[in-house]
Amino acid sequence: MRITPRKILLAEDDRNMGFMLQDNLEMAGYTVDIYTDGQSALSAFVKVKYDLCILDVMLPQKDGFALAYDIRKLSLQVPIIFLTAKSMKEDRIQGFKLGADDYITKPFSIEEFLLRIETILKRVYDQPTKADEQFIYPLGTLMCDFANQLITSGTRVQELTNKEAKLLKLFCINRNKVIDRDIIQKAIWEDEGYFVGRSMDVFISRLRKLLKDDPDVSILNVHGVGYKLEVREHSLNQPTAK
């Protein structure tokens, strides 16, 4: 059974930023309606059932705080994330007093942005979101089955632990992209620090051994930054849904 995509209201007056966020959210499997002022965003919220609101603080006609105040009068459940270029403590406090679920200061990492959204939706609705829909990811000659936590290479089948499966899925979603170490730690271990970092390195070493059947698939260490799952050009395939 396929999961209905979550519907997001995005209020952002910077068109370039708005389109970039919309593209990344839609690539992650969400449905997104974008508005460039607070009043039109509120009008849309009255008519449409949204699962999440992402609001820039500095909006014309009705700013993000005023918009959130009006949204909260209509719905106490819908999660709200504020986007802002300001990092003042007073603004953050005001946002949380209005019932915000998160407050993200620009510039920010898209990977962390998507992970925060995923975490909030799981917490609020207590059920799988679109990004949890079970996929089989082809990696060159390998097949990664995250529903059953397996890697298949020809007739050889290798089992994954729960954490290995989560880590490999994060790499697959971001294939050929560098992922910061702290993003990986927060996403998989929900923590940071020396011992978490050492544990992550051990798990990545295990994944490297599991992927060694295909020389065109490898996890690279990007010194001082993080890791990248590299799948060489002729091995690239698109993920297919069950």
Side-chain angles (χ1 to χ4, degrees), residues 2 37-38 49 75 86 123 142 150 177 183:
R2 294 183 66 83
D37 68 85
K49 184 181 184 304
S75 172
K86 299 193 289 186
R123 174 174 55 77
L142 306 174
L150 300 173
K177 297 179 183 177
I183 295 297

Side-chain angles (χ1 to χ4, degrees), residues 72-133:
R72 275 288 168 258
K73 289 191 291 186
L74 298 168
S75 172
L76 293 175
Q77 182 190 34
V78 64
I80 296 173
I81 297 176
F82 282 115
L83 301 179
T84 180
K86 299 193 289 186
S87 58
M88 292 177 61
K89 183 175 74 172
E90 292 79 9
D91 287 330
R92 294 175 65 86
I93 291 172
Q94 182 179 355
F96 287 121
K97 281 184 176 179
L98 287 168
D101 294 83
D102 208 344
Y103 193 104
I104 302 176
T105 304
K106 302 174 185 175
F108 51 83
S109 157
I110 285 295
E111 288 84 1
E112 183 174 1
F113 175 69
L114 294 173
L115 288 168
R116 287 192 184 192
I117 289 173
E118 187 72 351
T119 299
I120 288 171
L121 289 173
K122 285 181 182 179
R123 174 174 55 77
V124 172
Y125 298 106
D126 194 28
Q127 66 182 61
T129 58
K130 178 67 177 178
D132 282 324
E133 189 171 7

